[in-house]
Amino acid sequence: MKNIAVIGAGTMGNGIAHTFAQSGYKVQLIDISESSLKKGIATITKNLDRMVAKEKISEAQKNETLANITTFTSMEEGVEYASLVVEAATENVDLKLKIFKDLDSFCPDDTILATNTSSISITKIASVTSRPQQVIGMHFMNPVPIMKLVEIIKGYNTSPEIYDTVAEISKKLGKVPVEVNDYPGFVANRILMPMINEAIETLYNGVAGVEEIDTVMKLGMAHPMGPLQLADFIGLDVCLSILEVMYDGFKNPKYAPCPLLVNMVMAGKLGVKSKEGFYDYAETHKAEKVSKMFS
């Protein structure tokens, strides 16, 4: 299994492509936007340059990693020879269902179809394909090249053989695969998002300010980032989408998004990617400082 297709060249997609390519896999990075592909490759190059500067890899390894990545704007062409596809598009149910319908028709019969979804049902995604036994969740953490965890989520019909194959691939990437069953939010976000949402509620209720809330969690709970800064890093729109999936899936009011979060997303204040969230990232170096925290 040497040909890996990655759908989406955004933060998660380019990170996944980087990780596979650095491990020696041939990667087809696919996005409908040529500019997104160029930006994704630029991000990978910058991250590799940082690794070279820190002497974690050589210049030759950097060049080999980049040579392992080919970009496509056509999904049909990009997945033609893929043994494994990892979808990393926007966290939107309808979009993912459309992508998996297309993948099912474009990919070879034995291709494994994985999704990097952080909350959406694997069983639901698999239901639009003719190969539900070959559909699985492969939830990487951001930043992908640095973080060790991969949640491997089995849908209702995912075969044990497919799980074993994906878990083994994850280990070859230097990751630690953890088996998780198919419930909204899985494990990571089922625990993380209510904490972030409660931090936003604490701010919304005037209990303390942004920096004060984050300082309590960093110094008192030994978190490397406070929950509000972490929400900015993840993207407030992504946090909102995950909470909505969990609220819809469990029908439990504890997952209802805080009105402040909803309003900030509607106002376009999405965190680092929009240069403003709970913190102001208008100065480029401030945004870069956040992105480097785990490197």
Side-chain angles (χ1 to χ4, degrees):
M1 184 172 289
K2 297 300 289 183
N3 285 302
I4 312 296
V6 178
I7 309 296
T11 300
M12 295 304 295
N14 71 60
I16 293 167
H18 172 165
T19 301
F20 273 104
Q22 192 175 328
S23 296
Y25 292 90
K26 296 298 182 183
V27 178
Q28 294 81 52
L29 181 58
I30 305 163
D31 199 294
I32 58 172
S33 167
E34 184 68 43
S35 63
S36 293
L37 288 168
K38 289 179 180 177
K39 184 177 178 182
I41 295 297
T43 298
I44 294 169
T45 303
K46 183 170 68 174
N47 289 336
L48 288 168
D49 284 336
R50 188 179 299 145
M51 295 176 77
V52 171
K54 293 184 177 182
E55 299 184 345
K56 292 182 178 181
I57 62 171
S58 67
E59 186 72 24
Q61 287 172 309
K62 167 200 158 181
N63 293 333
E64 184 179 342
T65 298
L66 290 170
N68 281 337
I69 304 173
T70 308
T71 60
F72 292 85
T73 54
S74 165
M75 183 189 297
E76 186 171 5
E77 292 178 10
V79 303
E80 186 176 4
Y81 301 108
S83 301
L84 168 68
V85 177
V86 182
E87 171 272 319
T90 304
E91 194 73 351
N92 176 283
V93 175
D94 293 336
L95 175 61
K96 289 187 187 294
L97 295 182
K98 170 67 167 60
I99 288 172
F100 272 78
K101 282 182 182 178
D102 290 341
L103 288 174
D104 191 42
S105 63
F106 296 151
C107 291
D109 292 341
D110 60 350
T111 302
I112 297 171
L113 305 181
T115 173
N116 184 60
T117 181
S118 53
S119 60
I120 298 168
S121 168
I122 307 304
T123 303
K124 183 171 185 176
I125 291 172
S127 70
V128 301
T129 75
S130 62
R131 60 182 95 187
Q133 74 281 359
Q134 292 164 231
V135 179
I136 196 164
M138 200 175 187
H139 180 211
F140 291 86
M141 303 294 122
N142 185 29
V144 180
I146 305 298
M147 302 293 277
K148 292 292 186 182
L149 174 66
V150 180
E151 283 187 304
I152 308 293
I153 306 104
K154 299 184 298 183
Y156 187 82
N157 292 302
T158 305
S159 76
E161 293 78 15
I162 294 299
Y163 172 83
D164 290 343
T165 298
V166 171
E168 189 59 32
I169 291 169
S170 300
K171 291 175 184 176
K172 289 179 179 178
L173 297 175
K175 305 301 184 185
V176 178
V178 176
E179 181 177 346
V180 177
N181 290 318
D182 191 16
Y183 291 92
F186 315 131
V187 172
N189 282 318
R190 184 168 179 172
I191 295 169
L192 175 63
M193 286 302 152
M195 183 193 74
I196 286 176
N197 199 44
E198 192 62 30
I200 300 171
E201 286 279 2
T202 303
L203 177 66
Y204 182 56
N205 292 329
V207 178
V210 171
E211 293 189 9
E212 288 76 11
I213 292 168
D214 278 353
T215 298
V216 167
M217 296 304 290
K218 286 190 286 186
L219 300 185
M221 313 304 166
H223 290 195
M225 298 173 76
L228 299 176
Q229 187 179 31
L230 180 56
D232 277 354
F233 182 64
I234 294 168
L236 302 190
D237 53 336
V238 176
C239 294
L240 178 60
S241 294
I242 295 169
L243 284 165
E244 288 175 336
V245 167
M246 293 168 65
Y247 183 57
D248 183 60
F250 291 116
K251 302 296 191 293
N252 189 322
K254 75 178 180 180
Y255 299 115
C258 176
L260 175 58
L261 174 61
V262 175
N263 283 340
M264 289 180 72
V265 172
M266 285 196 296
K269 297 182 179 182
L270 309 180
V272 174
K273 61 181 150 188
S274 70
K275 301 279 193 280
E276 185 178 4
F278 293 106
Y279 292 87
D280 183 359
Y281 304 94
E283 295 178 35
T284 304
H285 73 274
K286 289 184 179 179
E288 289 182 346
K289 182 180 179 182
V290 175
S291 67
K292 292 177 183 177
M293 286 196 67
F294 294 107
S295 63

